[in-house]
Amino acid sequence: MSSAPGAEWWRSAVIYQVYPRSFADGNGDGIGDLAGITTRLPALAELGVDAVWFSPFFTSPQKDAGYDVADYCGVDPLFGTLDDFDALRAEASRLGLRIIVDLVPNHSSDQHVWFQEALAAAPGSAERARYLFRDGRGEHGEVPPNNWESVFGGPAWTQVTEADGQPGQWYLHLFDSSQPDFDWSNRAVQEQFLDVLRFWLDRGVDGFRVDVAHGLIKVDGLPDYTPPVEAGSMGGGIESGETPPYWAQPGVHPIYREWRELLNGYEGERMLAGEAWVQPLAKLADWVRPDEMHQTFNFEYLETPWEAAAQRAVIDDSLSAFGSVGAPSTWVLSNHDVVRHASRLALTAENPQGDGIGPKSKGLPEPVLGLRRARAATTLMLALPGSSYLYQGEELGLPEAIDLPDESRQDPTWFRTGGQRYGRDGCRVPIPWESDAPAYGFNATGSSWLPQPAEYGPLARDLQEGRAGSTLELYRRALAVRRTHALGHGSLEWLDGYGPEVLAFRNGDVTVIANLGEQPVELPAGTTLLCSGEISRAGLPSDTTVWIAAH
Ligand code: NOJ
Ligand code: CA
């Protein structure tokens, strides 16, 4: 059955991101898996989310934690089997949870059969034309075809050895050298992905999160380009609207139109959510025009500092940009690529996305302040109209794992920059379920692919369950009230008179006040529905958000 236009589930859904290797480990090898997730799924239904997005669990050599896919229609043995996936899907549907899988179309793994065929074939062949192979520059082709840099650091080109044993052509990889970029102007590539979409749609998924959705098409001729310093590794920070030759090219849109048509042919409101690091928001809105994707991640919101004026501006810009094309805004504060917001919101030094933090980083966060702000920020976010994303462990108030030993780090960023950038391992550590169990309940053996910091013990889910004031209970209550008051489907009306460091608005019959300043804020009459901290006699303290039911 379909909802009335405007009432589709994805317009207001709260979507919980599971990072499969770090959620729950069924067989005890230290890496999370599908069977482990299935066992723990009831916890997500109890939390009150609508849908679960799974980062990749497909066949992969795991050079980039599964974002290097060797077979788009297979489950990596590390995570289980297709039968395990079917069992997971069945359990999700029993619990009323929709499921979204991760599609990685910009690049494959170098172990994908197509790339292996391309390596074995000659320059100029149909096999090579599925990827971006080019001759090198310089007298003997020893210089890369252009000056592009990989998002993970170092050159975006790797030279292959041809069948005759000689150094040969180069292939483009915007990410790791194990992740060759497809040539999306090639119809064979387009058709391959239509088949992949059909495969998972037929298996019952409710939607796809589309990896690097701003990257598929590159400018013809692959011209040299040097991004401005502030761009950040995924290209999100280009406020001038400058368009690099590999991001946000107009040619990506016909691809998504074709996908949308395919999805429209299926029952049940299937959806596409694009990972597009594009600024400004008005341009990002092109990804969610009525005949393209349903949603796109709002990274501009995620990257906005914890300052009232900036927060108000990004909320306004988001609602107006997405609203202008009839799409819901989305909101997100954490994911597997950024410093967890319980740490990020208290950083005191610049920290570009993707760099991560480690023991030697400048401006390390004060944990109590970080958690306080994170709770306030989430309470604000979950009151906004539209759809929100949560990242596993944020409902426990987990901070970034800062003190990971160097030898445990696995992010390609760490290796490709010779340790100059820590990368993203600190937000990917297995989450704590039981304070007193091996690996804090992640599995039964105590093994864990990244070491869990001691601070995770007291934050384990079992200690927070039913405990008044815990972060878990705050999230649970927020999701319940959000649902009862239909906040996701609501609209926002700013309230004046609260001073420049306060955000105050109404969404339906709920008044939301967030105090980002130092001074306590006097509250209006009404019943407190939810508060991220303790209200004192003087009013709403600093870094605290409250929801009040208007009388
Ligand atoms: C974005 C994903 O979220 C990130 O984890 C991955 O490394 C890159 N895309 C490359 O696929
Ligand atoms: Ca496992």
Side-chain angles (χ1 to χ4, degrees):
M1 249 194 23
S2 317
S3 315
E8 298 92 344
W9 70 273
W10 43 266
R11 290 188 178 272
S12 60
V14 175
I15 303 174
Y16 183 101
Q17 179 187 358
V18 163
Y19 196 63
R21 43 172 57 233
S22 301
F23 188 72
D25 174 18
N27 67 358
D29 65 354
I31 301 181
D33 45 49
L34 299 185
I37 298 170
T38 304
T39 329
R40 294 290 194 181
L41 222 42
L44 300 186
E46 281 160 27
L47 180 61
V49 301
D50 302 292
V52 185
W53 148 37
F54 300 95
S55 279
F57 48 76
F58 315 108
T59 315
S60 162
Q62 305 290 322
K63 292 284 173 49
D64 183 23
Y67 283 94
D68 48 321
V69 181
D71 177 359
Y72 290 89
C73 300
V75 172
D76 196 282
L78 203 56
F79 298 118
T81 61
L82 270 177
D83 286 344
D84 292 330
F85 172 79
D86 291 340
L88 170 62
R89 200 200 69 82
E91 174 69 348
S93 100
R94 186 185 72 80
L95 294 165
L97 295 168
R98 298 191 184 251
I99 64 175
I100 294 172
V101 295
D102 212 314
L103 186 76
V104 189
N106 179 68
H107 45 264
S108 68
S109 158
D110 59 3
Q111 299 307 307
H112 192 285
V113 60
W114 275 13
F115 192 73
Q116 289 300 313
E117 285 170 8
L119 287 180
S125 59
E127 287 81 358
R128 288 220 170 161
R130 293 161 176 160
Y131 293 90
L132 289 159
F133 280 86
R134 294 290 181 274
D135 294 334
R137 294 181 293 185
E139 207 183 324
H140 306 289
E142 72 283 9
V143 182
N146 71 23
N147 72 346
W148 298 359
E149 295 223 336
S150 149
V151 168
F152 296 152
W157 294 93
T158 292
Q159 190 171 24
V160 303
T161 304
E162 303 294 359
D164 61 4
Q166 296 302 306
Q169 287 197 300
W170 299 70
Y171 65 89
L172 178 71
H173 51 87
L174 291 182
F175 295 89
D176 189 50
S177 54
S178 64
Q179 295 167 295
D181 282 47
F182 283 114
D183 183 347
W184 267 91
S185 66
N186 184 333
R187 187 65 192 158
V189 171
Q190 298 172 12
E191 278 171 357
Q192 168 185 248
F193 277 92
L194 292 170
D195 285 345
V196 173
L197 287 167
R198 283 189 203 100
F199 178 86
W200 291 105
L201 288 166
D202 291 341
R203 265 199 132 77
V205 307
D206 295 287
F208 302 89
R209 176 263 189 192
V210 181
D211 191 65
V212 201
H214 58 320
L216 274 47
I217 295 287
K218 284 83 181 172
V219 164
D220 273 350
L222 311 178
D224 278 344
Y225 176 75
T226 306
V229 187
E230 79 279 5
S233 59
M234 292 291 277
I238 308 186
E239 282 167 33
S240 63
E242 184 174 321
T243 307
Y246 37 81
W247 296 144
Q249 294 304 312
V252 299
H253 298 292
I255 298 170
Y256 302 137
R257 288 195 193 104
E258 190 171 20
W259 293 8
R260 177 69 177 250
E261 261 190 60
L262 177 71
L263 263 66
N264 286 347
Y266 278 80
E267 290 282 307
E269 298 175 11
R270 318 290 179 108
M271 61 90 98
L272 298 165
E275 188 222 15
W277 294 76
V278 172
Q279 279 192 324
L281 280 156
K283 184 166 174 187
L284 180 60
D286 285 352
W287 269 252
V288 286
R289 288 176 287 194
D291 58 349
E292 297 196 29
M293 297 201 179
H294 301 73
Q295 291 188 344
T296 179
F297 287 90
N298 188 344
F299 295 121
E300 197 159 326
Y301 175 72
L302 182 151
E303 293 191 320
T304 299
W306 184 239
E307 293 160 16
Q311 289 281 328
R312 182 169 169 152
V314 77
I315 291 169
D316 276 340
D317 288 354
S318 305
L319 293 172
S320 103
F322 293 119
S324 73
V325 290
S329 184
T330 64
W331 313 100
V332 61
L333 289 164
S334 279
N335 65 31
H336 65 293
D337 290 330
V338 302
V339 174
R340 283 184 175 276
H341 68 288
S343 299
R344 192 181 71 242
L345 295 176
L347 283 172
T348 58
E350 280 290 304
N351 182 253
Q353 184 276 323
D355 281 14
I357 49 175
K360 296 193 186 123
S361 298
K362 295 211 176 71
L364 286 175
E366 202 282 293
V368 174
L369 179 68
L371 180 56
R372 184 177 182 84
R373 288 191 174 160
R375 291 169 53 116
T378 303
T379 308
L380 172 64
M381 173 177 87
L382 290 175
L384 295 171
S387 169
S388 281
Y389 279 82
L390 305 178
Y391 175 51
Q392 66 177 41
E394 66 167 89
E395 76 280 19
L396 306 175
L398 295 188
E400 187 83 352
I402 299 171
D403 291 319
L404 289 176
D406 287 358
E407 55 291 355
S408 71
R409 294 195 180 270
Q410 308 213 8
D411 187 342
T413 308
W414 168 259
F415 299 106
R416 291 182 63 87
T417 62
Q420 290 297 306
R421 294 163 64 196
Y422 284 106
R424 303 158 296 172
D425 292 315
C427 62
R428 298 176 171 181
V429 172
I431 60 172
W433 294 90
E434 285 118 27
S435 59
D436 234 359
Y440 302 128
F442 170 59
N443 58 23
T445 59
S447 127
S448 171
W449 72 281
L450 284 172
Q452 298 165 296
E455 308 93 274
Y456 278 21
L459 294 170
R461 195 175 205 278
D462 65 338
L463 295 183
Q464 299 200 38
E465 208 139 25
R467 187 165 61 75
S470 73
T471 304
L472 179 64
E473 292 304 327
L474 175 72
Y475 271 68
R476 209 198 299 253
R477 171 107 182 118
L479 294 176
V481 177
R482 176 187 159 90
R483 190 182 296 265
T484 327
H485 291 257
L487 299 183
H489 278 296
S491 60
L492 177 146
E493 181 199 339
W494 293 107
L495 301 174
D496 294 328
Y498 282 91
E501 293 182 313
V502 177
L503 295 173
F505 62 85
R506 271 184 81 121
N507 181 350
D509 57 0
V510 177
T511 297
V512 178
I513 303 177
N515 182 5
L516 284 73
E518 296 288 321
Q519 297 308 316
V521 173
E522 206 180 310
L523 293 176
T527 312
T528 301
L529 294 168
L530 179 76
C531 187
S532 70
E534 294 278 332
I535 300 169
S536 72
R537 271 194 200 187
L540 185 72
S542 173
D543 293 323
T544 309
T545 303
V546 67
W547 296 3
I548 296 172
H551 271 307

